[in-house]
Amino acid sequence: MAADPITEPVNKPHEQDPIDLLIAIEEASEAPIRPEYFEGMVVVPPQPDFEHGDVIFDLAFQLRSAGLRLAGMGMGFRTGVDTNGKDETRSLAIPDFYVLRRKPTELDEAYRKVHKGWYPMDLLALVGEVTSSNHETDTGPKYRSYAAAGVPVYVLVNREENRVYVHTNPVADQDEPRKSFYRTTSTATPGEKLPLPDPYPPLDTSALLG
């Protein structure tokens, strides 16, 4: 099992954009890392193990094989909020896998350039996370942040509980994002089919059986 994730509170978010903070943390690290940012906290995920990567690839491959050409892995996404006329970063996420609403447009690419490599979060139609030892991050801050951003579908493979969840129908609270949630949740055990809303295929979770 990988080491626990590192979280670091950002006490004065207005003094430094979290994007610049993550860049500084990456540059200072001796090991390759990909930090994220949720609810005022920098999160450095643990190094993934083989099982983690195997499950991610299997689920993303199922989506691709079903004809969802915009299914993928590896890109980062940003949620911004207008505060007194200033665009401030609210969250920075690198989902384990995802399906996009659309192929990035010139406007999306311009956004990515301005925000130093992060695409707008509204590109996401579906996100998926597979827990390592960071179960509370994926079930707490990430869950609420994806709901606050209005991401329609959140697939969560919780290896600690040995369960797979699909959260749908986000209820976003823009004033208090930590109160955001998904109205509907379905679940399956490894080896079962996990039904997803249209147009997605049910996911075969047998890869979780090892």
Side-chain angles (χ1 to χ4, degrees):
M1 183 64 70
D4 288 336
I6 299 170
T7 60
E8 180 67 31
V10 180
N11 295 321
K12 299 179 180 179
H14 301 294
E15 293 184 0
Q16 182 179 28
D17 190 300
I19 292 175
D20 295 324
L21 181 59
L22 297 197
I23 291 172
I25 292 172
E26 288 183 63
E27 291 177 346
S29 175
E30 295 182 0
I33 57 172
R34 297 197 71 187
E36 300 170 285
Y37 178 79
F38 304 100
E39 298 183 347
M41 300 284 291
V42 173
V43 177
V44 181
Q47 293 291 335
D49 58 19
F50 171 80
E51 182 184 350
H52 181 271
D54 186 60
V55 171
I56 291 170
F57 187 85
D58 183 83
L59 297 178
F61 182 76
Q62 288 184 49
L63 294 170
R64 271 272 182 156
S65 298
L68 296 164
R69 291 288 302 161
L70 296 180
M73 302 177 288
M75 299 197 314
F77 301 87
R78 172 187 182 271
T79 300
V81 59
D82 187 300
T83 303
N84 299 321
K86 181 181 179 182
D87 180 25
E88 294 187 352
T89 299
R90 175 171 282 174
S91 60
L92 298 165
I94 306 172
D96 286 331
F97 62 94
Y98 50 77
V99 178
L100 303 182
R101 297 177 187 266
R102 61 183 181 272
K103 184 176 180 180
T105 64
E106 290 185 6
L107 188 61
D108 294 321
E109 294 296 347
Y111 182 102
R112 177 177 179 269
K113 184 176 181 180
V114 168
H115 296 293
K116 304 178 182 180
W118 299 86
Y119 281 103
M121 192 82 75
D122 67 7
L123 267 177
L124 293 169
L126 175 150
V127 293
E129 300 285 359
V130 178
T131 67
S132 292
S133 56
N134 55 334
H135 312 286
E136 293 183 0
T137 301
D138 292 332
T139 59
K142 281 191 180 183
Y143 168 89
R144 294 187 293 269
S145 294
Y146 287 141
V151 178
V153 182
Y154 177 27
V155 177
L156 174 63
V157 178
N158 191 321
R159 293 196 289 159
E160 181 179 51
E161 295 181 358
N162 203 33
R163 301 286 295 181
V164 188
Y165 299 87
V166 55
H167 303 291
T168 56
N169 300 317
V171 178
D173 190 322
Q174 298 303 324
D175 295 326
E176 296 188 55
R178 291 176 182 172
K179 292 184 178 180
S180 301
F181 64 96
Y182 284 91
R183 194 183 303 276
T184 307
T185 298
S186 301
T187 186
T189 57
E192 295 179 339
K193 293 280 189 177
L194 178 69
L196 299 182
D198 290 336
Y200 307 108
L203 291 177
D204 181 357
T205 64
S206 59
L208 289 164
L209 296 175

